[in-house]
Structures are given as structure tokens and as C-alpha cells.
Amino acid sequence: DAGITQSPRHKVTETGTPVTLRCHQTENHRYMYWYRQDPGHGLRLIHYSYGVKDTDKGEVSDGYSVSRSKTEDFLLTLESATSSQTSVYFCAISESKGAGANVLTFGAGSRLTVL
Amino acid sequence: GQQLNQSPQSMFIQEGEDVSMNCTSSSIFNTWLWYKQDPGEGPVLLIALYKAGELTSNGRLTAQFGITRKDSFLNISASIPSDVGIYFCAGQLGAQKLVFGQGTRLTINP
């Protein structure tokens, strides 16, 4: 267990409202990620972090921002939620395995519904 | 963006049957990973493959890293009810970039 906690696990909100999802890890991993999961698309990377205050964009970053003010917490913010952001959001941490591979361990997910 | 084509999208089988699924891409990957997702949970790593041609087993699961580095397959032998779930392949492009397939949903009839 990589000690990843996501909150909230479920949220329903209205279009135009801000939403923040939190990912908390207990094992001091350097790399943290936010993915979204949608039917027919698998998991797509939104943003990732490679250290405190160090973040980079993924393939579907529009409409999302992130912050990492301390190692254990990685926040995903939707400044003004839209219905297209209804999804299940997964946080992940990276653990190095053989040959420099990047093996992700995922949290349990946060289901967001934007009405 | 990069695409992984995972097939089949869904499978309906009888308990005890063998299962085979695969992922293909036009891109070359350094690493192939296979994950399983149970309902309401995050994906969990099943098998990691690091070298072209590598064949790795984890219990009843066997996965191979294609020799061209553009494909991988996962086999499950003698399926049991707890094998139900969604299986994802993922290919690693660079240091922090994993690309996921669309998933294969496995349903097992007892």
C-alpha cells in the first residue's frame, strides 16, 4: 500500500463553480500525477509534479491547474467546472522499478459530476 | 497524442476459460505495463515488462513484450470469478509519460 488518499471520493457540483481535489501520500514519493478516466479513453494524464512547486502539463491539461506546496499533497483545481469535466479522477505516485521504469501506483479515485 | 489500441474492448467468457488480450501501437515503447481495475478502485499493477521479447508470468497471468516494441499481450489461464474487472495496458514513452490503452472489460459467467 503506497499510502495514497484522495478526497473527496465523490462530489457533485454545478457548472461554473470551482472544485479542488486533494491527493495525499504518506511515503515521501517525489513524483505525483493526476489522471482522468473516461469510457473509451482509458486514463489520460492531466498534470504531474516532480517536486515541491515543480509541475508540468499532461495531454489534457486545459481547464485544470495544480499545486504542490509540500511533498505529501498534490491538489487539482478546476477553476470553473464544466460538464465535460465530469469524470473519475485518479491520483498516482511513481515508484522506480527495474531498468528505470516508471511504475505508477494509483489512489482509489474521486468521482466528480458537474451538472 | 500517442495512441494505444487495446482489444478486445470487452469479453464475456465462462469460468475456467483462458483469456487473451493485446495492445498495439505505432510507437515504440521502453516498458509495457498491465493493470487491473476493480469496480470503485484504482488500477493495480499486474505485470511490468522491460525488454523486447520478454515473457513474464504472475500466477495464472502471462504477459509478453513484443519483439518490435510496439505491442504486448496478456493471457489469463483458467479464469475465476475474481478475474472480473477492467484490464489496461500502458506503454512508457519517456521518463514520466505513460500512455494507457482504452481497457478491456472482462465479464465471467459462472
Side-chain angles (χ1 to χ4, degrees), chain A residues 1-3 25-29 93 95:
Chain A
D1 183 1
Q25 56 132 336
T26 59
E27 298 187 354
N28 207 35
H29 292 287
I93 59 89
E95 297 181 277

Side-chain angles (χ1 to χ4, degrees), chain A residues 29-31 33 93-105, chain B residues 50 92 95-96:
Chain A
H29 292 287
R30 179 183 174 192
Y31 289 91
Y33 306 78
I93 59 89
S94 174
E95 297 181 277
S96 295
K97 299 294 183 183
N102 174 33
V103 175
L104 298 184
T105 299
Chain B
Y50 304 112
Q92 182 179 4
Q96 300 303 327

Side-chain angles (χ1 to χ4, degrees), chain A residues 61-75:
Chain A
S61 59
D62 288 348
Y64 302 95
S65 62
V66 290
S67 65
R68 192 158 178 211
S69 59
K70 45 187 178 177
T71 300
E72 58 265 38
D73 289 326
F74 191 31
L75 304 181

Side-chain angles (χ1 to χ4, degrees), chain A:
Chain A
D1 183 1
I4 304 170
T5 304
Q6 291 187 230
S7 60
R9 292 291 313 278
H10 301 273
K11 186 173 181 65
V12 180
T13 191
E14 295 187 348
T15 298
T17 61
V19 175
T20 295
L21 305 179
R22 178 180 183 244
C23 179
H24 178 80
Q25 56 132 336
T26 59
E27 298 187 354
N28 207 35
H29 292 287
R30 179 183 174 192
Y31 289 91
M32 299 183 74
Y33 306 78
W34 278 106
Y35 282 83
R36 62 178 288 174
Q37 183 180 21
D38 305 289
H41 291 279
L43 292 122
R44 292 180 292 173
L45 181 64
I46 304 172
H47 283 277
Y48 70 97
S49 169
Y50 47 97
V52 173
K53 297 186 180 178
D54 292 323
T55 64
D56 203 354
K57 296 179 179 180
E59 66 175 301
V60 290
S61 59
D62 288 348
Y64 302 95
S65 62
V66 290
S67 65
R68 192 158 178 211
S69 59
K70 45 187 178 177
T71 300
E72 58 265 38
D73 289 326
F74 191 31
L75 304 181
L76 176 70
T77 297
L78 292 65
E79 300 290 347
S80 178
T82 67
S83 58
S84 65
Q85 293 175 310
T86 292
S87 187
V88 182
Y89 292 85
F90 287 98
C91 175
I93 59 89
S94 174
E95 297 181 277
S96 295
K97 299 294 183 183
N102 174 33
V103 175
L104 298 184
T105 299
F106 289 88
S110 296
R111 181 176 294 275
L112 175 67
T113 301
V114 184
L115 302 177

